[in-house]
Amino acid sequence: MVSISLQIFNHMPLSANKYSYNLPTSGLANSQINSAVLEEINCSDFIIKGIDGASLLQIAFEQIVRPIVKKEIEQQLKYLNNGKCYSGAAGSSSEPRYLELQFSSNVSETVWTAEPIRGEGNSFILVTLFDVHTGEAVISGPEASAKLEIVILKGSFDRDDWTAEEFSQNIIKEMNEKKILKGNVLLELKGGIGTLDDLSILHDKNWKPVSKLRLGARFVDTFQNIRVKEAKTNTFTMKDKRMKENRKGVEVLSLMDNVWCLKNIGQRGPIVDRLTERGIKTIQDFLSLNFARPEELKKQQDMQ
């Protein structure tokens, strides 16, 4: 039993100031009944006279202590909801949660058809899920193991903010009436991280024009009250792999290019066959022979 002296200054006659009551506080220490609580009691419209200690304590609890406890609980819940550590589990709040996907690195400057798409330095490309509010990676919960789709985007899609509809409008699904991507276009996040593997630009009999493109990633799975912003990479140049092998007509040639890249020498035929037999396979070999023995080189080309 803790003794609390209650004096009523505002709403009680001065004669009531002399009353003091010994109230049961169920273990509450004097230090826990702060000045703000006492002031609330002093300002109450209680009619103290004729009320025993137990009844007065009940009134005080209902009108003062309970609201204070309720306010404290609400503040703690607000702190937990706004905290920076998110496990990814869906909360009960009706407010939407915002997540976003991000690629870990830039795509190589040039991507050839039929060859694996890699990051700078031939590194694997990762895509990671982040919480927009905290800036931290989402490593657990259903969103951290969701399924993603990898897509090809127009190189001109250089906006920083977009809607899901705008993202979809910039997806390139086909080129030459065939799917542009080959391999694992669907992947699952593990701990909020996915790895692009076995993915390339489709190579077929139809040459693909040199194009500026981007990679994109978006959620396939949907979650109630959660918006996941899609990811996009830097712009890269897509080239047909045959350009590596056939440099005919290229304005600037290398000394190590095949000799048949030169004008009037076919990739197949008697001239290139005779030059190859003499060990003349590159442009450097051709120029060396032309400098040392030009008549012999002319004879090799004039022979039918």
Side-chain angles (χ1 to χ4, degrees), residues 123-284:
S123 62
F124 284 98
I125 301 173
L126 305 180
V127 57
T128 306
L129 181 64
F130 288 90
D131 189 292
V132 174
H133 177 69
T134 66
E136 296 185 353
V138 179
I139 61 175
S140 61
E143 301 90 355
S145 56
K147 184 177 291 186
L148 307 183
E149 179 187 16
I150 305 301
V151 298
I152 290 292
L153 298 170
K154 299 175 183 176
S156 59
F157 185 47
D158 57 358
R159 298 179 56 181
D160 293 328
D161 295 309
W162 58 81
T163 65
E165 182 180 1
E166 290 170 336
F167 185 88
S168 297
Q169 290 173 350
N170 282 276
I171 293 176
I172 302 175
K173 295 182 179 180
E174 294 182 347
M175 187 172 286
N176 297 332
E177 298 183 350
K178 291 187 178 181
K179 290 183 179 180
I180 190 170
L181 279 176
K182 179 182 179 181
N184 297 330
V185 295
L186 297 177
L187 59 92
E188 291 185 1
L189 295 178
K190 295 181 180 179
I193 300 175
T195 304
L196 276 65
D197 185 29
D198 189 25
L199 189 66
S200 62
I201 304 292
L202 181 66
H203 184 81
D204 56 26
K205 65 180 181 179
N206 297 315
W207 276 65
K208 288 183 170 56
V210 175
S211 305
K212 294 289 186 180
L213 304 173
R214 298 175 188 266
L215 281 182
R218 62 180 177 177
F219 258 40
V220 174
D221 296 332
T222 59
F223 299 91
Q224 185 176 4
N225 219 26
I226 294 179
R227 159 74 171 127
V228 183
K229 184 180 179 181
E230 304 81 2
K232 64 182 178 66
T233 66
N234 60 301
T235 302
F236 60 85
T237 302
M238 182 207 69
K239 295 182 179 181
D240 196 292
K241 185 180 179 180
R242 280 163 287 210
M243 293 181 66
K244 273 186 173 183
E245 304 166 352
N246 185 3
R247 291 174 58 81
K248 198 81 170 177
V250 177
E251 294 183 1
V252 180
L253 293 171
S254 165
L255 291 175
M256 300 310 297
D257 280 332
N258 291 318
V259 68
W260 47 258
C261 291
L262 294 172
K263 188 177 180 179
N264 297 327
I265 299 180
Q267 184 175 356
R268 296 177 182 83
I271 295 178
V272 72
D273 289 342
R274 288 194 298 271
L275 292 174
T276 302
E277 289 176 0
R278 291 293 307 267
I280 304 172
K281 299 179 179 179
T282 67
I283 293 176
Q284 182 175 1

Side-chain angles (χ1 to χ4, degrees), residues 31-91:
S31 60
Q32 293 176 287
I33 309 298
N34 57 30
S35 58
V37 176
L38 292 176
E39 183 178 352
E40 290 291 337
I41 296 173
N42 291 337
C43 295
S44 298
D45 291 327
F46 301 155
I47 300 177
I48 296 204
K49 190 174 182 179
I51 301 179
D52 60 20
S55 299
L56 184 58
L57 176 61
Q58 183 179 357
I59 295 172
F61 180 81
E62 291 290 338
Q63 298 194 18
I64 301 172
V65 178
R66 178 172 290 178
I68 292 175
V69 173
K70 180 181 178 182
K71 182 178 180 181
E72 181 65 22
I73 292 175
E74 289 175 348
Q75 289 177 342
Q76 292 297 323
L77 288 176
K78 183 178 180 181
Y79 172 80
L80 291 175
N81 288 334
N82 293 334
K84 292 188 176 182
C85 292
Y86 285 91
S87 65

Side-chain angles (χ1 to χ4, degrees), residues 105-109 116-125:
S105 62
N106 289 332
V107 180
S108 297
E109 184 177 344
I117 299 175
R118 292 285 188 263
E120 294 176 337
N122 201 35
S123 62
F124 284 98
I125 301 173

